[in-house]
């Protein structure tokens, strides 16, 4: 069965520092992987997705993620954090039937000045 | 841009009441979803629908039902609300058409409190 594990429920960085949010997945089929961001009092917004092809995926707001099959990982990175990046981030994998997404428990990113 | 609209931002209901949460999407998407979001638990799928009048149970369907009479509208129904259904409810839609890689588009959520 498909599942997603996000390591670290809370990550704190300084403005300008590297952002690294970890996601490991389990999938019995080739995975489709997604990262979403949720700002306070809003719904989820797609950051980026991996389906097939290039394993380094670039998304919005300077974020990118690399699919590593051997490590079953899809970690999200951004070279330089901005105060506006403070939000909750969710990693997700498409379910085996291909009909819905299974989400991780989320990681809250705090950015300090 | 896809717009998914949830009719209520905040709802307060009493235990035992029948509650309707409404969701409308404007992009002719085939698939629609209801998720529940709780702190520390992430998003959990309640029900989804891949066509009008079609529905499938998700991971936590107990205590809920859904209705999809029109393609653009997907309703979540709490037959008899209980305090453990106090949560944030998120509606989403996607293109559909079988096994596709299109992303989900989310509404802004309905925060339901059951007292």
């Amino acid at each position: 069965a498909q599942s997603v594990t996000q390591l670290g429920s809370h990550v704190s960085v300084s403005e300008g520092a590297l952002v690294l949010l970890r996601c490991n997945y389990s999938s019995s089929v080739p995975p489709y992987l997604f990262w979403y961001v949720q700002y306070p009092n809003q719904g989820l917004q797609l950051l980026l997705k991996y389906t097939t092809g290039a394993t380094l995926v670039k998304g919005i707001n300077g974020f990118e993620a690399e699919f590593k099959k051997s490590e079953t990982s899809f970690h999200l990175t951004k070279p330089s954090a901005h105060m506006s990046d403070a939000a909750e981030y969710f990693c997700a994998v498409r379910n085996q039937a291909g009909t819905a997404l299974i989400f991780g428990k989320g990681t809250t990113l705090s950015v300090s000045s | 841009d896809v717009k998914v609209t949830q009719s209520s931002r905040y709802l307060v209901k009493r235990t035992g009441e029948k509650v309707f949460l409404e969701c409308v999407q404007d992009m002719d998407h085939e698939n629609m979803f209801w998720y529940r979001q709780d702190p520390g638990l992430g998003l959990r799928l309640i029900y989804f629908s891949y066509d009008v009048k079609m529905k499938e149970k998700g991971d936590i369907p107990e205590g809920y039902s859904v209705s999809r009479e029109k393609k653009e509208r997907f309703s979540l129904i709490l037959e008899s609300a209980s305090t453990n259904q106090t949560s944030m409810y998120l509606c989403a839609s996607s293109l559909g058409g079988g096994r596709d890689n299109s992303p989900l588009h989310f509404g802004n959520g309905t925060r339901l409190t059951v007292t």
Side-chain angles (χ1 to χ4, degrees):
Chain A
Q2 263 69 340
S3 67
V4 171
T5 301
Q6 292 184 238
L7 298 173
S9 59
H10 201 129
V11 171
S12 297
V13 300
S14 300
E15 195 171 20
L18 171 71
V19 175
L20 171 60
L21 304 182
R22 299 178 188 273
C23 173
N24 288 90
Y25 70 90
S26 171
S27 179
S28 54
V29 297
Y32 290 170
L33 295 158
F34 303 78
W35 274 101
Y36 282 83
V37 61
Q38 185 179 36
Y39 299 103
N41 298 315
Q42 294 187 24
L44 276 69
Q45 178 184 356
L46 180 69
L47 273 178
L48 49 81
K49 67 176 183 179
Y50 169 80
T51 54
T52 58
T55 57
L56 182 62
V57 181
K58 295 187 184 300
I60 62 171
N61 301 338
F63 284 93
E64 62 182 36
E66 187 170 12
F67 170 63
K68 292 187 176 180
K69 185 178 179 180
S70 61
E71 299 177 10
T72 61
S73 68
F74 190 57
H75 300 332
L76 181 71
T77 60
K78 182 174 180 177
S80 177
H82 192 272
M83 297 293 286
S84 60
D85 295 327
E88 190 162 19
Y89 292 79
F90 293 93
C91 182
V93 64
R94 190 164 291 280
N95 66 359
Q96 186 171 353
T99 51
L101 292 187
I102 298 169
F103 286 85
K105 294 183 178 181
T107 298
T108 300
L109 175 66
S110 299
V111 182
S112 58
S113 58
Chain B
D1 243 11
V2 178
K3 193 164 178 65
V4 179
T5 302
Q6 295 183 231
S7 56
S8 301
R9 190 77 180 91
Y10 298 95
L11 274 180
V12 180
K13 297 292 182 181
R14 294 209 180 272
T15 302
E17 276 192 78
K18 190 169 186 176
V19 181
F20 293 86
L21 303 184
E22 307 288 347
C23 175
V24 176
Q25 51 94 2
D26 66 356
M27 283 299 293
D28 202 36
H29 281 177
E30 301 286 341
N31 295 347
M32 295 189 75
F33 307 82
W34 277 105
Y35 283 88
R36 170 177 171 160
Q37 182 180 10
D38 298 288
L41 297 179
L43 278 73
R44 293 177 291 167
L45 182 63
I46 304 172
Y47 268 97
F48 67 96
S49 168
Y50 51 87
D51 200 355
V52 174
K53 297 191 185 296
M54 305 301 289
K55 61 185 180 184
E56 292 279 347
K57 292 180 179 179
D59 299 318
I60 53 165
E62 297 78 17
Y64 303 95
S65 62
V66 290
S67 172
R68 194 166 181 199
E69 296 294 321
K70 293 184 178 182
K71 191 174 187 179
E72 67 271 17
R73 186 179 297 271
F74 192 36
S75 302
L76 180 69
I77 304 159
L78 286 65
E79 296 290 342
S80 177
S82 64
T83 54
N84 63 14
Q85 292 179 310
T86 292
S87 187
M88 171 70 87
Y89 291 89
L90 292 168
C91 176
S93 71
S94 69
L95 276 173
R99 186 184 175 84
D100 69 302
N101 61 12
S102 64
L104 271 60
H105 299 266
F106 283 86
N108 283 337
T110 295
R111 187 168 293 282
L112 173 66
T113 301
V114 182
T115 62

Coordinates of all heavy atoms in Angstrom, one line a residue, chain A residues 12-92:
Chain A
S12 N 12.7 24.8 11.7 CA 12.9 26.2 11.9 C 14.2 26.6 11.2 O 15.3 25.9 11.4 CB 13.0 26.6 13.3 OG 11.8 26.3 14.0
V13 N 14.2 27.6 10.4 CA 15.4 28.1 9.7 C 15.5 29.6 9.8 O 14.5 30.3 10.1 CB 15.4 27.7 8.2 CG1 15.4 26.2 8.1 CG2 14.3 28.4 7.5
S14 N 16.7 30.2 9.6 CA 16.8 31.6 9.5 C 16.6 32.1 8.1 O 16.8 31.3 7.1 CB 18.2 32.0 10.0 OG 18.4 31.6 11.3
E15 N 16.2 33.3 8.0 CA 16.0 33.9 6.6 C 17.3 33.8 5.9 O 18.4 34.2 6.4 CB 15.5 35.3 6.8 CG 15.0 35.9 5.5 CD 14.3 37.3 5.7 OE1 14.6 37.9 6.7 OE2 13.5 37.7 4.8
G16 N 17.3 33.4 4.7 CA 18.5 33.2 3.8 C 19.1 31.8 3.9 O 20.0 31.5 3.1
A17 N 18.7 31.0 4.9 CA 19.3 29.7 5.0 C 18.6 28.7 4.1 O 17.5 28.9 3.6 CB 19.2 29.2 6.5
L18 N 19.3 27.5 4.0 CA 18.8 26.5 3.2 C 17.5 25.8 3.8 O 17.5 25.6 5.0 CB 19.8 25.4 3.0 CG 19.4 24.1 2.3 CD1 19.1 24.3 0.8 CD2 20.4 23.0 2.5
V19 N 16.5 25.6 3.0 CA 15.3 24.9 3.5 C 15.4 23.4 3.0 O 15.6 23.2 1.8 CB 14.0 25.5 3.0 CG1 12.8 24.7 3.4 CG2 13.9 26.9 3.5
L20 N 15.3 22.5 3.9 CA 15.2 21.0 3.5 C 14.1 20.4 4.3 O 14.1 20.3 5.5 CB 16.5 20.3 3.9 CG 16.5 18.8 3.7 CD1 16.2 18.4 2.3 CD2 17.9 18.2 4.2
L21 N 13.1 20.0 3.6 CA 11.9 19.2 4.2 C 11.9 17.8 3.6 O 11.9 17.6 2.4 CB 10.6 20.0 3.8 CG 10.5 21.4 4.2 CD1 9.1 22.0 3.9 CD2 10.8 21.6 5.7
R22 N 11.9 16.9 4.5 CA 12.1 15.5 4.1 C 10.8 14.7 3.9 O 9.9 14.9 4.7 CB 13.0 14.8 5.2 CG 14.3 15.4 5.3 CD 15.1 14.6 6.4 NE 16.4 15.3 6.7 CZ 17.5 15.1 6.1 NH1 17.6 14.2 5.1 NH2 18.6 15.8 6.4
C23 N 10.8 13.9 2.9 CA 9.6 13.1 2.6 C 10.1 11.7 2.0 O 10.9 11.6 1.1 CB 8.8 13.7 1.5 SG 7.4 12.7 0.9
N24 N 9.7 10.6 2.7 CA 9.9 9.3 2.2 C 8.6 8.6 1.9 O 7.6 8.9 2.6 CB 10.7 8.5 3.2 CG 12.1 8.9 3.3 OD1 12.5 9.8 4.1 ND2 13.0 8.3 2.5
Y25 N 8.6 7.8 0.9 CA 7.3 7.2 0.4 C 7.5 5.7 0.3 O 8.6 5.2 0.3 CB 6.9 7.8 -1.0 CG 7.8 7.3 -2.1 CD1 7.5 6.2 -2.8 CD2 9.0 8.0 -2.4 CE1 8.4 5.7 -3.8 CE2 9.8 7.6 -3.4 CZ 9.6 6.4 -4.1 OH 10.4 6.0 -5.0
S26 N 6.3 5.1 0.3 CA 6.2 3.7 0.0 C 5.2 3.5 -1.1 O 4.1 4.0 -1.0 CB 5.8 2.9 1.3 OG 5.5 1.5 1.0
S27 N 5.6 2.8 -2.1 CA 4.6 2.6 -3.2 C 4.9 1.3 -3.9 O 6.0 0.9 -4.2 CB 4.8 3.7 -4.2 OG 3.9 3.6 -5.3
S28 N 3.8 0.6 -4.2 CA 3.9 -0.7 -4.9 C 3.8 -0.6 -6.4 O 4.0 -1.5 -7.1 CB 2.8 -1.6 -4.4 OG 1.5 -1.0 -4.6
V29 N 3.7 0.7 -6.9 CA 3.7 1.0 -8.3 C 4.5 2.2 -8.5 O 4.9 2.9 -7.5 CB 2.2 1.3 -8.8 CG1 1.3 0.0 -8.7 CG2 1.6 2.5 -8.1
P30 N 5.0 2.5 -9.7 CA 5.8 3.7 -9.9 C 5.0 4.9 -9.4 O 3.9 5.1 -9.7 CB 5.9 3.8 -11.5 CG 5.8 2.3 -11.9 CD 4.9 1.7 -11.0
P31 N 5.7 5.6 -8.5 CA 4.9 6.7 -7.8 C 4.8 8.0 -8.6 O 5.6 8.4 -9.3 CB 5.8 6.9 -6.6 CG 7.2 6.7 -7.1 CD 7.1 5.6 -8.1
Y32 N 3.6 8.6 -8.3 CA 3.4 10.0 -8.7 C 3.5 10.8 -7.3 O 2.8 10.4 -6.4 CB 2.1 10.2 -9.3 CG 1.9 9.7 -10.7 CD1 0.6 9.6 -11.3 CD2 3.0 9.2 -11.4 CE1 0.5 9.1 -12.6 CE2 2.8 8.7 -12.7 CZ 1.5 8.6 -13.3 OH 1.4 8.1 -14.5
L33 N 4.4 11.8 -7.3 CA 4.6 12.4 -6.0 C 4.4 13.9 -6.1 O 4.6 14.5 -7.2 CB 6.1 12.2 -5.6 CG 6.4 10.7 -5.3 CD1 7.9 10.5 -5.4 CD2 6.0 10.4 -3.9
F34 N 3.9 14.5 -5.0 CA 3.5 15.9 -5.0 C 4.0 16.6 -3.7 O 4.0 15.9 -2.7 CB 2.0 16.0 -5.1 CG 1.3 15.4 -6.3 CD1 1.1 14.0 -6.3 CD2 0.9 16.1 -7.4 CE1 0.6 13.4 -7.4 CE2 0.3 15.5 -8.5 CZ 0.1 14.2 -8.5
W35 N 4.2 17.9 -3.8 CA 4.4 18.7 -2.6 C 3.4 19.8 -2.7 O 3.2 20.5 -3.8 CB 5.8 19.3 -2.6 CG 6.8 18.5 -1.9 CD1 7.8 17.7 -2.5 CD2 7.0 18.3 -0.5 NE1 8.6 17.1 -1.5 CE2 8.1 17.4 -0.3 CE3 6.4 18.8 0.7 CZ2 8.6 17.1 1.0 CZ3 6.9 18.5 1.9 CH2 7.9 17.6 2.1
Y36 N 2.7 20.0 -1.6 CA 1.7 21.1 -1.5 C 2.1 22.0 -0.3 O 2.8 21.6 0.7 CB 0.3 20.6 -1.2 CG -0.4 20.0 -2.4 CD1 -0.2 18.7 -2.8 CD2 -1.3 20.8 -3.1 CE1 -0.9 18.2 -3.9 CE2 -2.0 20.3 -4.2 CZ -1.7 19.0 -4.6 OH -2.4 18.4 -5.6
V37 N 1.7 23.3 -0.4 CA 1.9 24.2 0.7 C 0.6 24.8 1.1 O -0.3 25.0 0.3 CB 2.9 25.4 0.3 CG1 2.3 26.2 -0.9 CG2 3.2 26.3 1.4
Q38 N 0.5 25.0 2.5 CA -0.7 25.6 3.0 C -0.4 26.8 3.9 O 0.3 26.6 4.9 CB -1.5 24.6 3.8 CG -2.8 25.1 4.4 CD -3.6 24.0 5.2 OE1 -3.0 23.2 5.9 NE2 -4.9 24.0 5.1
Y39 N -0.8 28.0 3.5 CA -0.6 29.2 4.3 C -1.8 29.2 5.3 O -2.8 28.7 5.0 CB -0.5 30.4 3.4 CG 0.6 30.3 2.4 CD1 0.5 30.0 1.1 CD2 1.9 30.6 2.9 CE1 1.5 29.9 0.2 CE2 3.0 30.5 2.0 CZ 2.8 30.2 0.7 OH 3.9 30.1 -0.2
P40 N -1.6 30.0 6.3 CA -2.6 30.0 7.4 C -4.0 30.4 6.8 O -4.1 31.3 6.0 CB -2.1 31.1 8.3 CG -0.6 31.0 8.2 CD -0.4 30.7 6.7
N41 N -5.0 29.7 7.2 CA -6.4 29.9 6.9 C -6.7 29.8 5.4 O -7.6 30.4 4.9 CB -6.9 31.3 7.4 CG -6.8 31.4 8.9 OD1 -7.2 30.5 9.6 ND2 -6.2 32.5 9.4
Q42 N -5.9 29.0 4.7 CA -6.1 28.8 3.3 C -6.1 27.3 3.0 O -5.7 26.4 3.8 CB -5.0 29.5 2.5 CG -5.0 31.0 2.5 CD -4.0 31.6 1.6 OE1 -3.7 31.0 0.6 NE2 -3.6 32.8 1.9
G43 N -6.5 27.0 1.7 CA -6.4 25.6 1.3 C -5.0 25.3 0.8 O -4.1 26.1 1.0
L44 N -4.8 24.1 0.3 CA -3.5 23.6 -0.2 C -3.3 24.1 -1.6 O -4.1 24.1 -2.5 CB -3.4 22.1 -0.1 CG -3.0 21.5 1.2 CD1 -4.1 21.7 2.2 CD2 -2.7 20.0 1.0
Q45 N -2.0 24.5 -1.9 CA -1.6 25.0 -3.2 C -0.4 24.1 -3.7 O 0.5 23.8 -2.9 CB -1.1 26.4 -3.0 CG -0.6 27.0 -4.3 CD -0.1 28.5 -4.1 OE1 -0.1 29.0 -3.0 NE2 0.5 29.1 -5.1
L46 N -0.5 23.7 -4.9 CA 0.5 22.8 -5.5 C 1.8 23.5 -5.6 O 1.9 24.6 -6.2 CB 0.1 22.3 -6.8 CG 1.1 21.4 -7.6 CD1 1.2 20.0 -6.8 CD2 0.6 21.1 -9.0
L47 N 2.9 22.9 -5.1 CA 4.3 23.5 -5.3 C 4.9 22.9 -6.5 O 5.5 23.6 -7.3 CB 5.1 23.2 -4.0 CG 5.1 24.1 -2.9 CD1 6.0 23.6 -1.8 CD2 5.6 25.5 -3.3
L48 N 4.9 21.5 -6.6 CA 5.5 20.8 -7.7 C 5.0 19.4 -7.6 O 4.4 18.9 -6.7 CB 7.1 20.9 -7.6 CG 7.7 20.5 -6.2 CD1 7.8 19.0 -6.0 CD2 9.1 21.2 -6.1
K49 N 5.3 18.7 -8.8 CA 4.9 17.3 -8.9 C 6.0 16.5 -9.7 O 6.6 17.1 -10.5 CB 3.6 17.1 -9.5 CG 3.5 17.5 -11.0 CD 2.1 17.3 -11.5 CE 2.1 17.6 -13.0 NZ 0.8 17.3 -13.7
Y50 N 6.1 15.2 -9.4 CA 6.9 14.3 -10.2 C 6.0 13.2 -10.6 O 5.3 12.6 -9.9 CB 8.0 13.7 -9.3 CG 8.7 12.6 -10.0 CD1 9.6 12.8 -11.0 CD2 8.3 11.3 -9.8 CE1 10.2 11.8 -11.7 CE2 8.9 10.2 -10.4 CZ 9.8 10.5 -11.4 OH 10.4 9.4 -12.1
T51 N 6.1 12.9 -11.9 CA 5.3 11.8 -12.5 C 6.3 10.9 -13.2 O 6.5 9.8 -12.7 CB 4.2 12.3 -13.5 OG1 4.8 13.1 -14.5 CG2 3.2 13.1 -12.7
T52 N 6.9 11.3 -14.3 CA 7.9 10.5 -14.9 C 9.0 11.5 -15.5 O 8.8 12.7 -15.5 CB 7.4 9.7 -16.1 OG1 6.8 10.6 -17.0 CG2 6.4 8.7 -15.6
G53 N 10.1 10.9 -16.0 CA 11.1 11.8 -16.6 C 12.1 12.3 -15.6 O 12.6 11.6 -14.7
A54 N 12.5 13.6 -15.8 CA 13.6 14.2 -15.0 C 13.3 14.1 -13.5 O 12.2 14.4 -13.1 CB 13.7 15.7 -15.4
T55 N 14.3 13.6 -12.8 CA 14.1 13.4 -11.4 C 14.2 14.6 -10.5 O 13.8 14.6 -9.4 CB 15.1 12.3 -10.9 OG1 16.4 12.8 -11.2 CG2 14.9 11.0 -11.6
L56 N 14.8 15.7 -11.1 CA 14.9 17.0 -10.3 C 13.7 17.8 -10.9 O 13.7 18.2 -12.0 CB 16.2 17.6 -10.5 CG 16.4 19.0 -9.8 CD1 16.3 18.7 -8.3 CD2 17.7 19.6 -10.2
V57 N 12.8 18.2 -10.0 CA 11.6 18.9 -10.4 C 11.6 20.3 -9.8 O 11.9 20.4 -8.6 CB 10.4 18.1 -9.9 CG1 9.1 18.9 -10.3 CG2 10.3 16.7 -10.4
K58 N 11.4 21.3 -10.6 CA 11.3 22.6 -10.1 C 9.9 23.1 -10.0 O 9.1 22.7 -10.8 CB 12.1 23.6 -11.1 CG 13.6 23.3 -11.1 CD 14.4 24.3 -11.9 CE 15.8 23.9 -12.1 NZ 16.5 23.8 -10.7
G59 N 9.6 23.8 -8.9 CA 8.3 24.3 -8.6 C 8.2 25.8 -8.5 O 9.1 26.5 -8.9
I60 N 7.2 26.2 -7.9 CA 6.9 27.7 -7.7 C 7.7 28.2 -6.5 O 8.2 27.4 -5.7 CB 5.5 28.0 -7.6 CG1 4.9 27.3 -6.3 CG2 4.7 27.6 -8.8 CD1 3.5 27.8 -6.0
N61 N 7.9 29.5 -6.5 CA 8.5 30.2 -5.3 C 10.0 29.7 -5.1 O 10.4 29.8 -3.9 CB 7.7 30.0 -4.1 CG 6.3 30.6 -4.3 OD1 6.1 31.4 -5.1 ND2 5.4 30.1 -3.5
G62 N 10.7 29.2 -6.1 CA 12.1 28.8 -5.9 C 12.3 27.4 -5.3 O 13.4 27.0 -5.0
F63 N 11.2 26.6 -5.1 CA 11.4 25.3 -4.5 C 11.7 24.3 -5.6 O 11.3 24.4 -6.7 CB 10.1 24.9 -3.8 CG 9.9 25.6 -2.4 CD1 9.2 26.7 -2.3 CD2 10.5 25.0 -1.3 CE1 9.0 27.3 -1.1 CE2 10.3 25.6 -0.1 CZ 9.6 26.8 0.1
E64 N 12.4 23.2 -5.2 CA 12.6 22.1 -6.0 C 12.7 20.8 -5.2 O 12.8 20.9 -4.0 CB 13.9 22.3 -6.9 CG 15.1 22.4 -6.1 CD 16.3 22.6 -7.0 OE1 16.2 23.3 -8.0 OE2 17.4 22.0 -6.7
A65 N 12.5 19.7 -5.9 CA 12.5 18.4 -5.2 C 13.2 17.4 -6.1 O 13.1 17.5 -7.3 CB 11.1 17.9 -4.8
E66 N 13.9 16.4 -5.5 CA 14.5 15.4 -6.3 C 14.0 14.0 -5.9 O 13.9 13.6 -4.8 CB 16.0 15.4 -6.0 CG 16.8 14.4 -7.0 CD 18.3 14.6 -6.9 OE1 18.8 15.3 -6.0 OE2 19.0 14.0 -7.7
F67 N 13.5 13.3 -6.9 CA 13.0 11.9 -6.8 C 14.2 11.0 -6.8 O 15.0 11.0 -7.7 CB 12.1 11.6 -7.9 CG 11.7 10.1 -8.0 CD1 11.0 9.6 -7.0 CD2 12.0 9.4 -9.1 CE1 10.6 8.2 -7.0 CE2 11.7 8.0 -9.2 CZ 11.0 7.5 -8.1
K68 N 14.4 10.2 -5.7 CA 15.4 9.3 -5.6 C 14.8 7.9 -5.3 O 14.4 7.6 -4.2 CB 16.4 9.6 -4.5 CG 17.3 10.9 -4.8 CD 18.3 11.1 -3.7 CE 19.2 12.3 -4.1 NZ 20.3 12.5 -3.1
K69 N 14.7 7.1 -6.4 CA 14.1 5.8 -6.3 C 14.8 4.9 -5.3 O 14.2 4.2 -4.5 CB 14.0 5.2 -7.7 CG 13.2 3.9 -7.7 CD 13.2 3.3 -9.1 CE 12.4 2.0 -9.1 NZ 12.4 1.4 -10.5
S70 N 16.1 4.9 -5.3 CA 16.9 4.0 -4.5 C 16.7 4.3 -3.0 O 16.8 3.4 -2.1 CB 18.4 4.1 -4.8 OG 18.9 5.4 -4.6
E71 N 16.4 5.6 -2.7 CA 16.2 6.0 -1.3 C 14.7 6.1 -1.0 O 14.4 6.5 0.2 CB 16.9 7.3 -1.0 CG 18.4 7.2 -1.2 CD 19.1 8.5 -1.0 OE1 18.5 9.5 -0.6 OE2 20.3 8.6 -1.3
T72 N 13.9 5.9 -1.9 CA 12.4 6.2 -1.8 C 12.1 7.5 -1.2 O 11.4 7.6 -0.2 CB 11.7 5.0 -1.0 OG1 12.2 4.9 0.3 CG2 11.8 3.7 -1.7
S73 N 12.8 8.5 -1.7 CA 12.7 9.9 -1.1 C 12.3 10.9 -2.1 O 12.5 10.7 -3.3 CB 14.0 10.3 -0.4 OG 15.0 10.5 -1.4
F74 N 11.7 12.0 -1.6 CA 11.3 13.1 -2.5 C 11.4 14.3 -1.6 O 10.4 15.0 -1.3 CB 9.9 12.8 -3.0 CG 9.4 13.8 -4.1 CD1 10.1 13.9 -5.3 CD2 8.3 14.5 -3.9 CE1 9.7 14.8 -6.3 CE2 7.8 15.4 -4.9 CZ 8.6 15.5 -6.1
H75 N 12.6 14.7 -1.3 CA 12.8 15.8 -0.3 C 12.7 17.2 -1.1 O 13.1 17.3 -2.2 CB 14.2 15.7 0.3 CG 14.5 14.5 1.0 ND1 13.5 13.8 1.7 CD2 15.7 13.8 1.3 CE1 14.0 12.7 2.3 NE2 15.3 12.7 2.1
L76 N 12.1 18.1 -0.3 CA 11.9 19.5 -0.9 C 13.0 20.4 -0.4 O 13.3 20.4 0.8 CB 10.5 20.0 -0.4 CG 10.1 21.3 -0.9 CD1 9.7 21.3 -2.4 CD2 8.9 21.8 -0.1
T77 N 13.5 21.2 -1.3 CA 14.6 22.1 -0.9 C 14.3 23.5 -1.5 O 13.6 23.7 -2.5 CB 16.0 21.7 -1.4 OG1 16.0 21.5 -2.8 CG2 16.3 20.3 -0.7
K78 N 15.0 24.5 -0.9 CA 15.0 25.9 -1.4 C 16.3 26.5 -0.9 O 16.6 26.4 0.3 CB 13.8 26.7 -0.9 CG 13.8 28.1 -1.5 CD 12.5 28.9 -1.1 CE 12.6 30.3 -1.7 NZ 11.3 31.1 -1.4
P79 N 17.1 27.0 -1.8 CA 18.5 27.5 -1.4 C 18.5 28.6 -0.3 O 19.3 28.6 0.6 CB 19.1 28.0 -2.7 CG 18.3 27.4 -3.8 CD 16.9 27.2 -3.2
S80 N 17.5 29.5 -0.4 CA 17.5 30.6 0.5 C 16.1 30.9 1.0 O 15.2 31.3 0.2 CB 18.1 31.8 -0.2 OG 18.0 33.0 0.6
A81 N 15.8 30.7 2.3 CA 14.5 30.9 2.9 C 14.1 32.3 2.9 O 15.0 33.2 3.2 CB 14.4 30.3 4.3
H82 N 12.8 32.6 2.8 CA 12.3 33.9 2.9 C 11.2 33.9 3.9 O 10.6 32.8 4.1 CB 11.7 34.3 1.5 CG 11.3 35.8 1.4 ND1 10.1 36.3 1.8 CD2 12.1 36.9 1.0 CE1 10.1 37.6 1.6 NE2 11.3 38.0 1.2
M83 N 10.9 35.0 4.6 CA 9.9 35.0 5.6 C 8.6 34.5 5.1 O 7.8 33.9 5.8 CB 9.8 36.4 6.1 CG 11.0 37.0 6.8 SD 11.4 36.1 8.4 CE 10.1 36.8 9.4
S84 N 8.3 34.8 3.8 CA 7.0 34.4 3.3 C 6.9 32.9 3.0 O 5.8 32.4 2.7 CB 6.8 35.1 1.9 OG 7.8 34.8 1.0
D85 N 8.0 32.2 3.2 CA 7.9 30.7 3.1 C 7.3 30.0 4.3 O 7.1 28.8 4.3 CB 9.3 30.1 2.8 CG 9.9 30.6 1.5 OD1 9.1 30.8 0.5 OD2 11.1 30.8 1.4
A86 N 7.1 30.7 5.4 CA 6.6 30.2 6.6 C 5.2 29.6 6.3 O 4.3 30.4 5.9 CB 6.5 31.2 7.7
A87 N 5.0 28.3 6.5 CA 3.7 27.7 6.1 C 3.8 26.2 6.5 O 4.8 25.8 7.1 CB 3.5 27.8 4.6
E88 N 2.7 25.5 6.2 CA 2.8 24.0 6.4 C 2.9 23.4 5.1 O 2.3 23.8 4.1 CB 1.5 23.5 7.1 CG 1.6 22.1 7.6 CD 0.6 21.7 8.7 OE1 -0.4 22.4 8.8 OE2 0.9 20.7 9.3
Y89 N 3.8 22.4 5.0 CA 4.1 21.7 3.8 C 3.7 20.2 3.8 O 4.0 19.6 4.8 CB 5.6 21.8 3.4 CG 6.0 23.2 3.1 CD1 6.2 24.2 4.1 CD2 6.1 23.7 1.8 CE1 6.5 25.5 3.9 CE2 6.5 25.0 1.5 CZ 6.7 25.9 2.6 OH 7.0 27.2 2.3
F90 N 3.1 19.8 2.8 CA 2.6 18.4 2.7 C 3.2 17.7 1.5 O 3.1 18.2 0.4 CB 1.1 18.3 2.6 CG 0.4 18.8 3.9 CD1 0.0 20.1 4.0 CD2 0.1 17.9 4.9 CE1 -0.7 20.6 5.1 CE2 -0.6 18.4 6.1 CZ -1.0 19.7 6.2
C91 N 3.7 16.5 1.8 CA 4.1 15.6 0.7 C 3.0 14.6 0.5 O 2.3 14.2 1.4 CB 5.4 14.9 1.1 SG 6.1 13.7 -0.1
A92 N 2.8 14.2 -0.8 CA 1.7 13.3 -1.1 C 2.1 12.3 -2.2 O 2.9 12.7 -3.1 CB 0.4 14.0 -1.5

